[in-house]
Every structure is written in C-alpha cells, then in structure tokens.
Amino acid sequence: MSAVVFLEHHGNEVQRGSLGVLAKAASLGEGDVAAVVAGEGARALATEAGKFGAARVWVCEDGEVARPLPQPRIDVLAQVVEEGGYDTVLFANSVLAADVAAGLAARLDAGLNWDLVDVALRDGALVGTRPALQDSVYADVGWTSTPRLALFRAGSFDATPTGGGGEPEIVDVSPSYREHSTAVKLVGQDAEESSGPSIEDADVIVAGGRGLGSPDNFTLAEELARALGGAVGATRAVVDAGWYPYSAQIGQTGKTVSPKLYVALGVSGAIQHKVGMQSSGTIVAINKDANAPIFEFSDLGVVGDLHEIVPKLTELVRARKG
Ligand SMILES: Cc1cc2nc3c(=O)[nH]c(=O)nc-3n(C[C@H](O)[C@H](O)[C@H](O)COP(=O)(O)OP(=O)(O)OC[C@H]3O[C@@H](n4cnc5c(N)ncnc54)[C@H](O)[C@@H]3O)c2cc1C
C-alpha cells in the first residue's frame, strides 16, 4: 500500500480527525505514509504531520488554495497521486473533505468508500468497515481498482502521535489547475466564535434536547461541557426551534459523531438522532421519562429532572477536577 492522507487545516491547526486518519494509516505498517497539506501556512504544519506518521509531506501554499474551496484541492491531490504513484487516498470526514474526496473520485475515476469507521489490511487487501442499516451492522467493504479512496467518520481514530520518524521530507507542489477549478469565487466567510473543541473533534459531547425547556437552559449543557472539556451538541428539535445553531445538530440530517463520552440531556433518542451518535464510546442519558427510547441504547441512564441533576453533576465534575 502506498497511501497519502489529506490533512485539513484551518488557521494553524490541523483537524484532529485527519491526524487520526494519518496515525491509523501509519499504524498499518505497510510502506511509508504521506500527507498533503494545502492552504495558507501549510509548510509550518509539516512537522506536526511527521509526528503523526507522515514520512513525506506534500505542501501547497498557492493562492488558489488559500480559501477553503474543494476544486483547487482536487487538482492538487490529483497531481500528488500521479507524481507520488499513490494507490490509496484517505480523508477524515468534514464538509470540505467530503467535497474533495467526491471530486477526486470523479477526476481519477476511482472508487470511494465513505462513512468508514475502520480500515485494516487482510492478506494484503485493504478492507474498510462501514456501518449499515442505521448502524445496526458493520459491513466489510473493499475496492476493485486503484486508487482506492476512503472517507472516515469523525472520531473514528485517536489522534495519537506515532512517536516515530523525525522531520518528514517536504515536497512542494506547483499545481496546474483546470479552468473550471478556479472559477468559483468565495464571496464571504464567517467564523463562529467558540471556545473548546468542535463536536467533530471533541472526546466529550454534552447534547441538549427539547427537555432543556428553553434556549436559555442550554447554559446547563454548556457548563457541563466546559467542566468536562467537551463540546455541546443538539437535537434537530431544538435547532429547528432556533434554540441552538444548526452546526451543533447531531443525527441523520446533522453530523455523525463518535466521542468517547456522550451525555444526553432531555433527548428522547429518536432514531434520526440515534444514527448520528450511537457509535459513541459511553452514552449517558438524563431523562425524566423512564420509557424514553434513549435508555435502550445508553450505557448509563438517569431517570430524573435534568434541571435538578445537571447543576449538581457539573459541580461534582468541577470539584473532582479541582
Ligand atoms: C427526516 C427526518 C430527519 C431528522 N433528522 C434529525 C437529526 O438529524 N437529528 C435529530 O436529533 N433529530 C432529527 N429528526 C427529528 C427526530 O425525529 C426527533 O423529533 C428529535 O430528535 C427529537 O428531539 P428531542 O429529543 O430534543 O425532543 P423530544 O423528542 O421532544 O424529547 C424531549 C425529551 O426530553 C425529556 N424531558 C422533558 N423534560 C425533561 C426534564 N425536565 N428532565 C429530563 N428530561 C426531560 C422528555 O421525556 C423527552 O424524552 C429528524 C426527523 C425526520 C423526520
């Protein structure tokens, strides 16, 4: 296998999801793994990529990739795949990475397996694991041709430095773009102010549902999330009601997450919510209805009024953490 991993970065930070995919690829131990970083400040991130297992980092700081648009990145990646002779290209899911992966598959006439949660080499063949039937079963998936493209679900792998390597070899990419690749112009970009990790990156998510009772009560979820060092998620019901931003929505029409700990506050556990979070490590639910569906797939269920329980829980966590 000769693999290259698309590393997505914003500002001077590489997305943890893509570092996790890189570390996973390196752990397969089948040949050197490379990484591609495209955008402003890409070169400065090469050392970071080395710590997570990249032996070679392809760097592109061209003006066309300064903005987070997929099409110029597809050209960069297509060129890297050709010049480096890679047979495998791996992505961690995000809005941008999904667009790049799909576009690259079309460009290279390659097979893309998406929403994977694991990958392994079996008898020399690369095999992906893909949840199916609303995550009730896991299917083994493969590729019938190269290059093989794979897009992994957020949180599939720990972003743990591999401890190997020294400085990776840096290769500059001088991209040549297709005419249509530079036709899209970004007319505006807004960054949402937030502190703490994003729900895609967080090890802990505290999700709020309609049981919180009002938008103001989201402070209960926020304070518990802050105490646990996590991020706040939301159900579609509260997002539709305008209680919390769409970017926090988890589920079928929102984001799919798999943190180590998922705490659900006043969330009923509708199937459309479940499919977005059921692969979380430990699921804790607080709900006043003992028959709420969420208890069917929770590791720990607390039946009670969240307004009484959550402030005490937050205090306890703070006290424990000193
Ligand atoms: C096509 C489609 C796509 C959808 N996509 C999504 C999606 O992506 N994500 C998503 O989340 N939903 C999605 N939904 C909506 C989904 O079906 C549910 O309506 C939604 O998840 C319910 O949100 P909720 O749990 O916040 O609210 P509810 O179902 O109203 O549940 C509120 C819960 O809070 C509990 N509660 C109330 N008061 C308290 C209290 N004081 N203390 C403790 N517990 C309390 C109640 O017992 C109840 O279980 C989708 C629906 C459709 C049809």
Side-chain angles (χ1 to χ4, degrees):
M1 183 177 83
S2 56
V4 61
V5 178
F6 172 69
L7 289 191
E8 179 174 344
H9 74 288
H10 296 281
N12 56 4
E13 244 180 69
V14 184
Q15 299 289 93
R16 278 185 64 206
S18 35
L19 290 174
V21 171
L22 176 58
K24 175 68 189 184
S27 78
L28 294 175
E30 189 74 6
D32 282 345
V33 174
V36 178
V37 198
E40 256 172 37
R43 183 176 303 277
L45 301 169
T47 307
E48 174 92 342
K51 288 184 196 152
F52 290 82
R56 176 186 287 180
V57 181
W58 299 79
V59 166
C60 179
E61 292 191 324
D62 187 81
E64 290 294 342
V65 290
R67 290 158 299 274
L69 293 171
Q71 206 59 45
R73 286 173 171 73
I74 294 167
D75 291 22
V76 169
L77 266 167
Q79 200 167 319
V80 167
V81 170
E82 193 189 330
E83 285 176 23
Y86 297 107
D87 60 26
T88 306
V89 191
L90 307 175
F91 300 84
N93 192 27
S94 73
V95 173
L96 178 65
D99 271 355
V100 176
L104 187 68
R107 173 73 62 82
L108 301 178
D109 196 20
L112 166 64
N113 275 310
W114 73 97
D115 201 28
L116 300 186
V117 294
D118 203 1
V119 69
L121 278 163
R122 279 190 223 149
D123 301 326
L126 196 67
V127 180
T129 305
R130 188 178 194 280
L133 301 175
Q134 296 180 327
D135 285 10
S136 59
V137 295
Y138 290 99
D140 285 348
V141 294
W143 293 257
T144 54
S145 62
T146 55
R148 304 171 285 213
L149 272 50
L151 182 67
F152 292 93
R153 191 180 274 193
S156 293
F157 308 115
D158 277 340
T160 311
T162 53
E167 284 294 312
E169 177 196 356
I170 296 179
V171 186
D172 285 293
V173 187
S174 315
S176 59
Y177 300 106
R178 301 256 170 119
E179 205 182 322
H180 65 267
S181 296
T182 53
V184 174
K185 302 291 172 217
L186 190 72
V187 292
Q189 195 177 353
D190 286 318
E192 200 179 353
E193 288 303 320
S194 67
S195 57
S198 67
I199 59 171
E200 290 94 336
D201 278 347
D203 282 339
V204 178
I205 292 178
V206 178
R210 201 152 31 193
L212 282 171
S214 75
D216 291 346
N217 287 336
F218 254 92
T219 51
L220 291 172
E222 286 167 348
E223 279 171 22
L224 180 57
R226 201 170 302 125
L228 290 165
V232 176
T235 64
R236 178 164 159 178
V238 296
V239 168
D240 281 351
W243 292 10
Y244 221 65
Y246 173 68
S247 56
Q249 186 188 317
I250 291 163
Q252 184 185 323
T253 43
K255 290 175 180 160
T256 301
V257 294
S258 43
K260 293 192 172 107
L261 173 64
Y262 192 92
V263 185
L265 309 180
V267 173
S268 60
I271 182 70
Q272 296 90 354
H273 187 75
K274 182 184 175 192
V275 294
M277 46 65 75
Q278 65 183 342
S279 53
S280 305
T282 301
I283 298 171
V284 177
I286 303 175
N287 195 306
K288 69 177 183 185
D289 176 6
N291 295 316
I294 195 148
F295 290 131
E296 289 164 21
F297 53 93
S298 296
D299 300 286
L300 177 69
V302 182
V303 180
D305 185 346
L306 68 88
H307 301 284
E308 286 173 21
I309 298 164
V310 177
K312 288 178 188 157
L313 178 60
T314 304
E315 272 315 304
L316 260 172
V317 173
R318 283 190 191 132
R320 276 281 173 94
K321 291 201 163 182

